[in-house]
Structures are given as C-alpha cells and as structure tokens.
Amino acid sequence: MINKGAHENYDVVIVGASVAGACAAIALAPIGYRILLLDRAVFPRDKPCGEGIMPQGVDALDQLGLLPRILAKGAVKFRGIRYRNLHGDWAQADFPSAAGATAFGLVMRRLELDHLLLTQARGFPNITVREGFRVTDVIQDGTVVQGVSGHPVDRPDEKESFQAPLTIGADGAHSIFHGQCGLTRTYLQRKRFGVTGHLEGVSGLGPYVEVLLHPQGEIYVAPSAPATACVALLLEKKAMAFFKGDLAQCYLRFLQSFEGFRERVVESKLLPAVFAVGPLGFTVEPCYRSGMILLGDSGGFLDPLTGLGITLALKNVQAALPIIQKAFAARDFSAQMLGAYAVDRFRLVEDFLLFTRLLLNLSRPRFLANRAIRKLSHDPCLFQKLMGIAAGTNHYRDFSVREKLSLLIG
Ligand SMILES: Cc1cc2nc3c(=O)[nH]c(=O)nc-3n(C[C@H](O)[C@H](O)[C@H](O)COP(=O)(O)OP(=O)(O)OC[C@H]3O[C@@H](n4cnc5c(N)ncnc54)[C@H](O)[C@@H]3O)c2cc1C
C-alpha cells in the first residue's frame, strides 16, 4: 500500500463534481479559495435523471454565468408542463412570465450538462479537478471534519488524504458522509423507483415536459431534440418486478405496452444507457457538521416528480455561498457557524419541498391524481399559479386551503 500522506494546501475539498459540486466550485472560485474537486467518475458520464431544469434552476445557472454556454451546447427550452391522467384528460400550463423571472426550463442530457459544468470548473486556476478518484473515508477529529481520503478508482492501493478547513459533501444520494459522520438518513415510507432512458423517434413532442399518469406511477417525458426525449419512469416498488432481466428491453416493453404512449414510441430507437435507481426519497439530519456541509442530493431528496432536483442543488449552492464566506472571514468552521446553512437552505427550498410533498400526496391514490389533473385542465389559472412555484413567481403559502381542496375534489 502506497500512502501519499495528507495534502493540506486546499481551502475547500469538494466530494462529487456533478451539478452541486461543480457549481459550488464555480461559485467559490472567484473569491480566490484553493479548491479541490473530486469525483470517482471520469467525465463525460451518464447519470439517471429526467433532465428537465426548472426556471429557477435556469436562473441560478445564469447567475453563475453558465447559461450562454449551456444554450450554445444545444440545451432545449421548454415553456411549461403538460399532465395527462388515466382518463386521457390533458392539463397544460406555461411558466408565468413575470418581470425578472425566467419563464422557460431547459432539457439537456446529463452526459453533456455535467461535463460542461466540470469543464467550466477546470478553467479556474484555483480549482484542481481529480476525476476517477473514489473517496472512501472522512477524516475526523471527534465530530470535526478535517478532510477526506480515498484512492484512484483503478489503483486501490494508492491511498491519498486531503485536508482543508471546509469539506463539502456533494456526492449524491449515497453520500459517504451520512454513515461516517453519524447523520440520520431516513427513507420515506413510500418507496419509489426511477428507470430512465433516451428515445429517438418519439412522436407528438412539443415545447413542454409531459407527465403521463400510469397505473403504477408516472412517465416523465423531456424533449431534448425535435423527436428525441429523455423518458423517466417513476414507479412504485411493486412495479419494479416488471424489470427483471435485460433492463433496456424491459424498459422499452414497458413503454410500448402503455396505451396512450405506445403509439408514440412504436418506431422509436432506444439510445444507451438505461438506468434503474431507488428507493428515491429520503431526508438527512443535520446537513452539516463542524468543518462540513452537504449540498444537493447528499443533503436529502424527496422525489423527481416535480423535476426540481437540479434546481434544489443549485439553490443549496446559493444558500451556502454567503455562509462559507462568513466562515472563512471569521476562520470559524464550527457547527454553530455552518448550522446557519441549514436554516438558509430550508428558507430557499421550502416552497419546492412543500410543492413536491403536495404532488406526492396527490399522486398516491390514482383517483385523486386523476381528479387533480382534471381540475387543472379546467382551471389553467390555478395550474399556472402552481407553475409559478417552479418559476419563483409564487410561494406555496399563496395557495389557499380552498385551492388545495379544489385539487382533491376535482
Ligand atoms: C429517476 C430520476 C429522475 C430525475 N429527474 C429530474 C429532473 O427531471 N429534473 C431535475 O432537476 N432533477 C431530476 N432528478 C434529480 C437529479 O438527478 C438530482 O437531484 C441531481 O443530479 C443532484 O445533483 P448532485 O450534484 O447533488 O448529485 P449527483 O448528480 O448524484 O452527483 C454526485 C456525484 O458524486 C460522485 N460521487 C459519489 N460518491 C463518490 C465518492 N465516494 N467519491 C467520489 N465521488 C463520488 C458521483 O460520481 C457523482 O458525479 C431526477 C432523479 C432521478 C433519480
């Protein structure tokens, strides 16, 4: 075993170089911190996702100066959401166009988006990127996080350690910080799973992300080119029994056997790769320790139903930025100082969490989901108001009890 010892010349070590990690590095680099960005993957790499970025996420990417490049790389704009219930009723709404608010979402393949973000991060002289590096251990003195150690994925014997006053966990849903830092990870009672893939030759696509109700979940269709879409299945646990054997073939058969979508994909070509993940929903408490904060999915993820995961990760970065600056200015990385992140993070994402919980509750009994979509199909103003949460023009508290009840009653 070769032990390269501890490198201490970083201010911030970030584990995970996907949306949360790369964007945190990009946000922190102009301040001048020396940043180490680690990821076990070698980019470009694919990742299971529905690939729709909601308007507030687009806004956050724009604030980081990334939007022009993302658009230049072919990200496709969408203007709202279309739902279809099991009776074939359609409800459709555009994101509200209020002054100062972005009124469109974007679809971009994660293979390309994550690579673009990492390439941007690599462009800063004070960001060091290590791809193909698996972090295996969190270095701690008591409950104070001091850095991480790990090894190159292909050379498990070459152990290396990295120490810094601040460590950021942006390593996704199965974060190593959960277990090693004694954080409480609680799965939602309702176990949902995702199966994702890309199809070429899908008919009937428009400038909307579609959510089609299925007896066992939802089908989320995000158009990434005129006839190409990312199609994510969000399913209850028992539906996963269908996916035994060749995953790609099962995925295609699942789609081609669903009346109302079958006709649109009968001629489709499946593009690699197909992924299955889950169970999806969990919370983490707390999302910080002395010397450490968690960003993005590592800090908890409820469900992809509202397509807000990327936006949440970007909002986490926004919440963390001022607190990290304050911590460096005071040279205080205590849990008390970093705990302010949990408060600001919640404030910034509370609407998304409540919105996701509302839709999760409505989606469980199919008859309620059917009613809610029928209601939205007759009440486009209410639907657009709901879309305002994703666009940042409305808050969850703007919805009256009466409006919420009307979704239940249909
Ligand atoms: C089925 C499904 C559909 C979804 N649809 C949407 C959608 O339409 N819109 C949306 O906004 N969000 C969606 N999401 C959620 C979205 O994918 C996530 O919220 C988002 O990717 C979170 O980004 P992240 O950077 O926090 O984590 P991740 O993207 O998961 O990145 C974590 C990174 O950490 C690295 N890593 C992990 N462990 C280690 C380790 N030990 N050492 C080194 N590196 C490590 C990984 O390689 C990875 O690159 C969906 C999710 C699922 C499962």
Side-chain angles (χ1 to χ4, degrees):
M1 154 101 57
I2 306 163
N3 196 327
K4 293 199 175 172
H7 306 271
E8 294 191 40
N9 50 343
Y10 297 104
D11 297 307
V12 187
V13 172
I14 304 177
V15 184
S18 183
V19 175
C23 289
I26 292 167
L28 291 168
I31 306 167
Y33 305 132
R34 293 155 305 167
I35 298 163
L36 176 65
L37 189 53
L38 302 167
D39 204 295
R40 65 184 175 202
V42 175
F43 292 70
R45 64 95 181 87
D46 223 337
K47 145 160 208 347
C49 187
E51 300 181 345
I53 309 173
M54 293 295 155
Q56 286 208 62
V58 175
D59 221 20
L61 290 167
D62 197 19
Q63 285 173 34
L64 289 174
L66 298 165
L67 188 56
R69 287 185 187 86
I70 289 173
L71 289 171
K73 275 279 179 191
V76 170
K77 290 184 181 181
F78 64 96
R79 50 195 275 194
I81 308 284
R82 300 183 79 200
Y83 285 113
R84 197 193 68 192
N85 70 11
L86 289 172
H87 306 307
D89 302 318
W90 282 99
Q92 171 178 315
D94 289 5
F95 298 115
S97 54
T102 303
F104 63 88
L106 288 177
V107 180
M108 188 175 197
R109 196 149 175 189
R110 291 296 295 266
L111 188 75
E112 290 160 7
L113 175 70
D114 294 6
H115 189 220
L116 183 153
L117 297 176
L118 187 62
T119 306
Q120 285 306 117
R122 210 193 297 277
F124 288 90
N126 50 332
I127 299 180
T128 304
V129 176
R130 291 279 303 269
E131 295 173 69
F133 189 92
R134 183 188 302 279
V135 172
T136 54
D137 294 288
V138 181
I139 303 169
Q140 297 176 81
D141 180 5
T143 55
V144 180
V145 175
Q146 297 180 329
V148 293
S149 63
H151 58 77
V153 170
D154 53 352
R155 297 189 300 282
D157 280 349
E158 288 185 21
K159 195 93 173 159
E160 287 179 68
S161 312
F162 303 98
Q163 293 199 336
L166 181 68
T167 301
I168 293 179
D171 51 339
H174 303 284
S175 170
I176 60 152
F177 294 88
H178 298 164
Q180 294 195 23
C181 296
L183 310 175
T184 306
R185 177 193 169 101
T186 312
Y187 276 102
L188 302 193
Q189 257 190 349
R190 181 177 174 194
K191 303 270 181 289
R192 301 238 298 165
F193 290 74
V195 185
T196 64
H198 295 83
L199 293 169
E200 215 174 64
V202 182
S203 62
L205 296 174
Y208 293 89
V209 161
E210 298 174 34
V211 183
L212 315 176
L213 228 59
H214 181 279
Q216 290 163 341
E218 299 87 37
I219 300 178
Y220 183 101
V221 185
S224 55
T228 303
C230 173
V231 181
L233 317 177
L234 307 178
L235 299 170
E236 304 297 330
K237 189 177 178 182
K238 63 176 194 281
M240 294 309 287
F242 187 89
F243 296 87
K244 293 215 172 91
D246 182 324
L247 181 62
Q249 287 310 316
C250 292
Y251 168 80
L252 205 54
R253 251 190 296 128
F254 187 94
L255 292 175
Q256 290 180 342
S257 63
F258 179 44
E259 205 179 319
F261 196 58
R262 177 196 304 151
E263 315 73 61
R264 295 173 60 186
V265 290
V266 81
E267 300 284 318
S268 291
K269 183 176 151 209
L270 183 61
L271 307 172
V274 177
F275 294 100
V277 282
L280 297 173
F282 66 96
T283 58
V284 177
E285 278 296 327
C287 58
Y288 62 91
R289 282 281 190 236
S290 287
M292 187 277 286
I293 57 170
L294 297 179
L295 300 181
D297 279 8
S298 64
F301 179 66
L302 285 184
D303 197 88
L305 180 59
T306 41
L308 282 163
I310 295 172
T311 303
L312 278 164
L314 290 160
K315 287 278 172 190
N316 284 192
V317 173
Q318 289 180 344
L321 193 62
I323 288 149
I324 293 174
Q325 285 181 269
K326 209 169 149 195
F328 272 100
R331 301 302 298 175
D332 174 3
F333 302 93
S334 64
Q336 201 181 3
M337 171 66 87
L338 297 179
Y341 161 65
V343 178
D344 285 7
R345 171 181 184 260
F346 183 72
R347 188 176 47 77
L348 280 189
V349 303
E350 186 183 10
D351 280 331
F352 298 159
L353 299 182
L354 292 169
F355 182 40
T356 304
R357 281 198 189 275
L358 173 76
L359 292 204
L360 265 179
N361 288 336
L362 284 173
S363 76
R364 188 160 203 173
R366 298 281 95 177
F367 73 94
L368 274 190
N370 279 332
R371 273 188 202 164
I373 292 174
R374 196 175 51 226
K375 166 70 184 164
L376 294 177
S377 73
H378 295 142
D379 192 344
C381 290
L382 178 62
F383 194 179
Q384 197 172 51
K385 198 170 161 185
L386 271 176
M387 290 296 95
I389 293 179
T393 54
N394 288 100
H395 293 288
Y396 188 80
R397 62 173 177 272
D398 297 334
F399 290 87
S400 63
V401 175
R402 196 190 168 129
E403 282 173 321
K404 285 178 211 151
L405 275 177
S406 76
L407 290 170
L408 294 176
I409 294 161

